[in-house]
C-alpha cells in the first residue's frame, strides 16, 4: 500500500493539530465512461472526514486531459486535524470524468 501521510505538528490552543499531506499520484480505470467513446479527462475528488465529526473537507485535482484509462495527477492536498484523531479519520477518493454526458465514480 501507499506510505503513511506526511505529518507536521502545530499547537492550536491546548490541542495539538497535525498538518496531513495527501498525495494522489495516479489511477488505473477499468471502464471507459465516455458516452460516445473517445478519450476521457479524469479528475479526482478527495474527501477528508475527521474522526471528531467536525465536517468534511474536499478538494479536486485538475483533469488529466487525454489521461483516459491511466490518468496521472501528482496532486497534493493539505488538511489540519487534531493529532489524537488523525489516525481514525477517513479519506475517500472518487474519480470523475470531465465533460458532458460522461461520468465515473469509484471508491
Amino acid at each position: 500500500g501507499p506510505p503513511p501521510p506526511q505529518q507536521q505538528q502545530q499547537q492550536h490552543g491546548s490541542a495539538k493539530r497535525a498538518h496531513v499531506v495527501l498525495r494522489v499520484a495516479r489511477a488505473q480505470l477499468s471502464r471507459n465512461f465516455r458516452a460516445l467513446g473517445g478519450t476521457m479527462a479524469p479528475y479526482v475528488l478527495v474527501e477528508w472526514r475527521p474522526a471528531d465529526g467536525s465536517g468534511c473537507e474536499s478538494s479536486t485535482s485538475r483533469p488529466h486531459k487525454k489521461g483516459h484509462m491511466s490518468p496521472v495527477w501528482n496532486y497534493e492536498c493539505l488538511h489540519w486535524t487534531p493529532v489524537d484523531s488523525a489516525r481514525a479519520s477517513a479519506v475517500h477518493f472518487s474519480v470523475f470524468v470531465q465533460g458532458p454526458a460522461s461520468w465515473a465514480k469509484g471508491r
Side-chain angles (χ1 to χ4, degrees):
Q6 177 184 16
Q7 293 186 7
Q8 297 175 352
Q9 292 186 10
Q10 183 174 353
Q11 191 74 25
H12 285 278
S14 61
K16 284 187 178 180
R17 296 179 66 80
H19 184 201
V20 179
V21 179
L22 300 171
R23 291 187 181 102
V24 182
R26 62 185 165 270
Q28 185 63 46
L29 304 178
S30 59
R31 183 173 164 202
N32 185 351
F33 288 92
R34 294 296 283 178
L36 301 173
T39 303
M40 298 186 292
Y43 64 95
V44 65
L45 168 68
V46 179
E47 296 174 291
W48 175 264
R49 297 180 182 171
D52 65 2
S54 62
C56 180
E57 294 180 42
S58 63
S59 60
T60 57
S61 70
R62 291 182 179 200
H64 178 176
K65 301 222 184 282
K66 299 183 182 180
H68 198 52
M69 304 290 283
S70 302
V72 176
W73 299 291
N74 292 319
Y75 176 66
E76 197 171 89
C77 51
L78 314 171
H79 299 282
W80 284 102
T81 189
V83 172
D84 295 342
S85 64
R87 290 184 185 264
S89 296
V91 180
H92 295 267
F93 303 91
S94 301
V95 175
F96 295 92
V97 177
Q98 182 184 44
S102 60
W103 60 271
K105 186 174 179 183
R107 293 190 182 224

